[in-house]
């Protein structure tokens, strides 16, 4: 722990230690009720409102639903089925808890039922960059032993490639099983004869060009939960059309249909050349022959100026739907008007035509539309009966009860380390860690889910020194973010907006706040234009300076794999001056 000269900082640390002792980590967002701690910020009534033009201009008919099915940073989807129940998981990177898991009966209406990795013993991302941590989970049901498996790459904490299991995804998952192989993006396949196989991305025996990767297969012992030694074999070298130097073959999944084995993979990197390709074999360990019509899903050939642009499509998984048709979930992006990717990679769905030898995503090679037809007999219940909303929607959070809604997560650690419910809202005990460090942040965070949105909260706070700060933040990484909050400037309380780009911070505005410890804070965006504002009454907002650019919150500028996170943030180690 770094030395602090200020008595106030030492006191804050003492309060934090007491808080952690009183409220031990349980790994879930089961926020305890607590007493008000002196000088700790309290946030109340968060209001989020999405207002994207595409939804306003394309209202739903009674037989339609919106695509994507999961808005915001929910990339790398994988899906499995047991009977009439479908379960879907996504990458979560440095968010805690990790690997959100969703349930549906019809592939249209979804509820989040929790997270797969909800305990520190399963997930260690406390020093991870926001785009490190959990990559590309795969979920599979094994009818042979009535067990669900989630296999993934955890790039931090010494886990590497790992697997967890459960008999019931509604009731939590077991402890990690480490898998001793290299590469990323593992997937498990259970054959009809009870045997199991793991496929994953790995490096080549001899690298021939940049981006040259392979797909490798192992036999897996289901009884002992381990790889069978010396069974590894490369089944795809490079990807499709090797002479054209295909790059980043990854995210493999094996399926069996009509006695044949199909290997489906992402190819071309996870940006604007992303695609999905497929191979077939008569034997699970190959040799595999590529489909002559590859890719079977991509948007890379299309007009870059098309309306309602969806791009970067790939990293898919396929399942048979309740109507007997096949459907594929995959990641794609909806860039804003400046082609910036602030929302991040989202989860989409399309029907899959598998009437021939090879599967093909229906309308997956032409510009994707924002709406799809409902499968016969299915009702769109988005935003009703506990189902996730989509399109333009709002949510209001009063922090009135525990556990918190699953939309609220921590960055690099459990939110209950710092948060408690008090009369009037959510109290956050500031830590000495600040937003420019790869450490657990004291705060709660949700995903930006629209290009045009507003995010508003009421903050009750009386900072005591310049190292104290609490407010809202728009986070892409520790190097790229905005912070808008109350702090001290000398002896005066002020509202400060700071932009950090590539690690360099700039104070955009300082606003003196006299004799008031309660203020409403807001960030709103229209595409790439972000505006921060404040209000004393919650109705009349004053702009805090001019419109600022959201480009630093985009994947294009900041890099990495995540979308913007909107947070209620506090620190007693502020370095933004």
């Amino acid at each position: 722990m770094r030395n602090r000269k200020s008595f106030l900082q030492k006191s804050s640390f003492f309060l934090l230690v007491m808080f952690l002792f009183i409220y031990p980590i349980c790994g879930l967002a089961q926020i305890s009720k607590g007493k008000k701690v002196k000088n700790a910020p309290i946030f109340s009534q968060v209001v989020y409102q999405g207002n994207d033009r595409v939804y306003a201009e394309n209202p739903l008919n009674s037989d339609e639903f919106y695509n994507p099915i999961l808005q915001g940073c929910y990339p790398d989807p994988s899906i499995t089925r047991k009977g009439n129940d479908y379960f879907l998981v996504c990458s979560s990177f440095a968010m805690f808890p990790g690997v959100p898991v969703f349930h549906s009966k019809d592939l249209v209406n979804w509820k989040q039922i929790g997270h797969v990795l909800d305990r520190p013993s399963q997930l260690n991302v406390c020093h991870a960059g926001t785009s490190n941590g959990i990559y590309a989970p795969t979920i599979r049901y094994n009818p042979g032993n009535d067990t669900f498996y989630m296999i993934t790459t955890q790039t931090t904490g010494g886990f590497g490639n790992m697997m967890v299991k459960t008999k019931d995804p509604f009731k939590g998952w077991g402890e990690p099983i480490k898998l001793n192989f290299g590469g990323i993006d593992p997937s498990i396949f259970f054959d009809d004869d009870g045997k199991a196989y793991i496929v994953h991305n790995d490096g080549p025996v001899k690298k021939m060009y940049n981006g040259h990767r392979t797909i490798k297969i192992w036999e897996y012992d289901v009884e002992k939960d381990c790889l069978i030694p010396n069974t590894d074999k490369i089944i795809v070298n490079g990807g499709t059309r090797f002479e054209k130097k295909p790059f980043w073959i990854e995210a493999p999944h094996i399926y069996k249909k009509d006695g044949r084995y199909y290997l489906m993979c992402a190819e071309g990197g996870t940006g604007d050349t992303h695609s999905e390709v497929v191979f077939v074999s008569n034997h699970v360990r190959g040799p595999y022959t590529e489909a002559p019509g590859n890719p079977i899903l991509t948007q890379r050939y299309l007009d870059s100026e098309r309306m309602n642009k969806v791009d970067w499509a790939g990293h898919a998984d396929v399942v048979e739907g309740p109507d007997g048709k096949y459907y594929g979930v995959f990641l794609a992006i909806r860039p804003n008007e400046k082609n910036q990717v602030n929302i991040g990679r989202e989860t989409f769905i399309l029907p899959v035509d598998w009437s021939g030898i090879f599967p093909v995503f229906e309308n997956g090679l032409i510009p994707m539309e924002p709406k799809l037809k409902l499968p016969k007999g299915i009702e769109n219940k988005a935003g009703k009966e506990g189902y996730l909303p989509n399109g333009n929607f709002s949510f209001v959070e009063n922090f009135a009860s525990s556990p918190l809604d699953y939309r609220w997560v921590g960055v690099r650690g459990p939110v209950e380390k710092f948060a408690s419910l008090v009369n009037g809202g959510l109290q956050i005990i500031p830590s000495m860690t600040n937003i420019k460090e790869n450490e657990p942040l004291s705060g709660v965070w949700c995903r930006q889910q629209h290009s045009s949105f507003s995010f508003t909260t009421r903050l009750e706070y009386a900072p005591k020194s310049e190292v104290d700060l609490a407010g809202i933040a728009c986070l892409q990484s520790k190097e790229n973010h905005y912070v808008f909050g109350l702090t001290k400037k000398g002896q005066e309380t002020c509202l400060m907006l700071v932009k950090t780009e590539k690690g360099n911070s700039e104070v955009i505005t300082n606003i003196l706040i006299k004799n008031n410890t309660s203020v409403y804070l807001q960030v709103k965006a229209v595409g790439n234009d972000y505006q921060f504002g404040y209000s004393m009454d919650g109705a009349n907002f004053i702009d805090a300076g001019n419109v600022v650019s959201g480009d630093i919150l985009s994947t294009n500028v900041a890099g990495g794999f995540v979308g913007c996170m909107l947070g209620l943030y506090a620190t007693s180690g502020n370095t933004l001056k």
Side-chain angles (χ1 to χ4, degrees):
M1 186 66 67
R2 291 161 293 174
N3 291 325
R4 300 288 188 185
K5 296 180 180 180
S6 161
F7 171 78
L8 177 63
Q9 288 172 291
K10 292 178 181 178
S11 299
S12 297
F13 177 65
F14 176 71
L15 289 171
L16 175 60
V17 171
M18 286 185 65
F19 181 78
L20 294 179
F21 178 76
I22 296 170
Y23 300 111
I25 298 171
C26 65
L28 297 168
Q30 188 75 37
I31 306 299
S32 301
K33 290 185 177 181
K35 294 182 179 180
K36 287 187 178 182
V37 175
K38 188 176 181 180
N39 299 328
I42 297 174
F43 295 88
S44 57
Q45 199 185 59
V46 172
V47 179
Y48 175 94
Q49 175 68 59
N51 190 32
D52 282 348
R53 174 188 53 78
V54 62
Y55 298 122
E57 294 179 354
N58 293 273
L60 289 176
N61 295 317
S62 60
D63 62 343
E64 295 175 326
F65 68 105
Y66 283 127
N67 214 10
I69 53 173
L70 300 180
Q71 293 171 230
C73 183
Y74 294 105
D76 307 333
S78 176
I79 191 167
T80 195
R81 176 182 185 179
K82 177 187 177 182
N84 296 322
D85 294 295
Y86 294 87
F87 298 92
L88 185 152
V89 295
C90 302
S91 290
S92 54
F93 306 102
M95 302 174 202
F96 195 108
V99 190
V101 57
F102 305 87
H103 172 257
S104 177
K105 292 282 190 179
D106 52 31
L107 303 179
V108 172
N109 302 294
W110 291 90
K111 293 181 180 180
Q112 186 171 353
I113 61 172
H115 293 81
V116 175
L117 305 178
D118 59 13
R119 305 185 296 279
S121 60
Q122 299 169 309
L123 179 63
N124 184 353
V125 289
C126 59
H127 303 299
T130 50
S131 288
N132 295 122
I134 294 296
Y135 287 178
T138 293
I139 187 170
R140 289 292 182 263
Y141 172 67
N142 180 9
N145 59 5
D146 189 27
T147 300
F148 290 86
Y149 293 71
M150 192 285 296
I151 184 170
T152 189
T153 305
Q154 185 169 172
T155 65
T156 55
F159 283 96
N161 291 300
M162 53 162 280
M163 180 188 294
V164 292
K165 303 188 300 181
T166 185
K167 293 287 187 179
D168 186 349
F170 290 94
K171 296 182 179 179
W173 296 71
E175 291 300 302
I177 300 165
K178 289 189 66 173
L179 303 169
N180 295 316
F181 57 83
I184 59 172
D185 294 8
S187 177
I188 192 164
F189 167 71
F190 300 100
D191 208 343
D192 301 335
D193 59 5
K195 292 184 177 180
Y197 302 85
I198 287 176
V199 287
H200 62 96
N201 159 295
D202 208 345
V205 175
K206 181 180 179 181
K207 185 177 179 180
M208 303 297 291
Y209 54 87
N210 288 335
H212 180 194
R213 303 290 290 179
T214 69
I215 300 299
K216 185 177 285 187
I217 191 169
W218 295 78
E219 295 181 28
Y220 188 78
D221 190 322
V222 176
E223 297 296 326
K224 296 179 181 179
D225 273 323
C226 65
L227 297 171
I228 298 177
N230 303 316
T231 60
D232 55 312
K233 177 187 178 182
I234 291 175
I235 53 176
V236 172
N237 181 24
T240 61
R241 301 176 183 88
F242 185 80
E243 70 280 1
K244 294 187 176 182
K245 299 181 180 180
F247 64 98
W248 276 101
I249 189 84
E250 59 186 346
H253 297 303
I254 290 178
Y255 313 93
K256 190 174 186 180
K257 183 176 182 289
D258 300 330
R260 297 188 182 99
Y261 296 89
Y262 291 85
L263 174 68
M264 196 173 74
C265 307
E267 188 180 270
T270 191
D272 57 8
T273 56
H274 205 199
S275 70
E276 195 73 14
V277 297
V278 67
F279 308 78
V280 68
S281 176
N282 291 322
H283 305 281
V284 67
R285 290 173 55 85
Y288 281 87
T289 303
E290 62 187 78
N294 278 324
I296 60 172
L297 168 69
T298 191
Q299 298 282 282
R300 67 188 179 201
Y301 304 118
L302 304 177
D303 181 3
S304 61
E305 301 300 319
R306 61 192 182 273
M307 288 290 293
N308 302 326
K309 184 177 179 181
V310 174
D311 212 352
W312 300 10
H315 201 118
D317 200 4
V318 172
V319 71
E320 186 177 356
D323 56 1
K325 285 180 59 70
Y326 285 88
Y327 293 84
V329 292
F330 57 96
L331 73 79
I333 56 109
R334 296 177 296 140
N336 64 28
E337 81 288 353
K338 296 290 182 65
N339 210 38
Q340 304 287 359
V341 184
N342 293 45
I343 305 174
R345 296 161 171 86
E346 305 176 284
T347 289
F348 289 71
I349 192 168
L350 280 177
V352 173
D353 182 351
W354 209 336
S355 58
I357 295 177
F358 294 102
V360 177
F361 284 73
E362 295 182 13
N363 298 324
L365 302 173
I366 63 174
M368 293 184 193
E369 298 292 334
K371 302 188 296 183
L372 292 175
K373 291 291 184 182
L374 287 165
K376 187 176 180 180
I378 302 302
E379 177 187 354
N380 185 355
K381 298 180 180 179
K384 305 173 185 177
E385 301 176 20
Y387 291 103
L388 296 175
N390 68 3
N392 282 333
F393 60 82
S394 62
F395 69 80
V396 178
E397 175 64 78
N398 292 312
F399 298 115
S401 62
S402 182
L404 296 184
D405 189 282
Y406 287 124
R407 65 169 52 92
W408 297 108
V409 295
V411 172
R412 304 187 192 93
V415 301
E416 60 270 21
K417 284 183 64 176
F418 309 102
S420 61
L421 295 178
V422 297
N423 291 335
L426 183 74
Q427 177 176 259
I428 296 179
I429 306 295
S431 73
M432 292 182 185
T433 297
N434 66 62
I435 200 168
K436 298 183 74 172
E437 301 174 86
N438 275 348
E439 300 288 340
L441 299 181
S442 46
V444 297
W445 307 80
C446 66
R447 295 160 173 84
Q448 179 183 331
Q449 296 179 286
H450 300 81
S451 288
S452 296
F453 73 95
S454 63
F455 179 82
T456 308
T457 191
R458 178 178 179 268
L459 170 63
E460 181 183 329
Y461 184 47
K464 294 302 180 183
S465 78
E466 293 186 356
V467 297
D468 296 324
L469 183 147
I472 60 177
C474 299
L475 173 67
Q476 218 283 343
S477 67
K478 72 182 181 72
E479 296 89 2
N480 296 276
H481 52 261
Y482 285 101
V483 172
F484 184 47
L486 287 175
T487 186
K488 279 285 191 180
K489 186 77 172 177
Q491 298 302 310
E492 303 287 351
T493 298
C494 70
L495 188 56
M496 182 170 64
L497 173 62
V498 182
K499 173 184 179 180
T500 299
E501 180 175 6
K502 297 181 180 178
N504 299 312
S505 297
E506 172 192 3
V507 176
I508 303 297
T509 188
N510 255 320
I511 301 165
L512 186 64
I513 303 293
K514 289 187 176 181
N515 303 319
N516 203 315
T517 60
S518 177
V519 63
Y520 291 85
L521 304 178
Q522 182 181 81
V523 57
K524 57 184 180 181
V526 178
N528 204 52
D529 294 332
Y530 284 62
Q531 178 71 67
F532 292 84
Y534 68 100
S535 171
M536 297 305 171
D537 60 8
N540 301 295
F541 280 84
I542 302 168
D543 291 341
N546 297 323
V547 168
V548 295
S549 174
D551 57 358
I552 65 167
L553 305 175
S554 72
T555 305
N556 318 56
V557 172
F561 307 112
V562 299
C564 175
M565 301 294 291
L566 307 172
L568 309 178
Y569 162 68
T571 180
S572 60
N574 179 44
T575 60
L576 305 174
K577 311 284 184 176

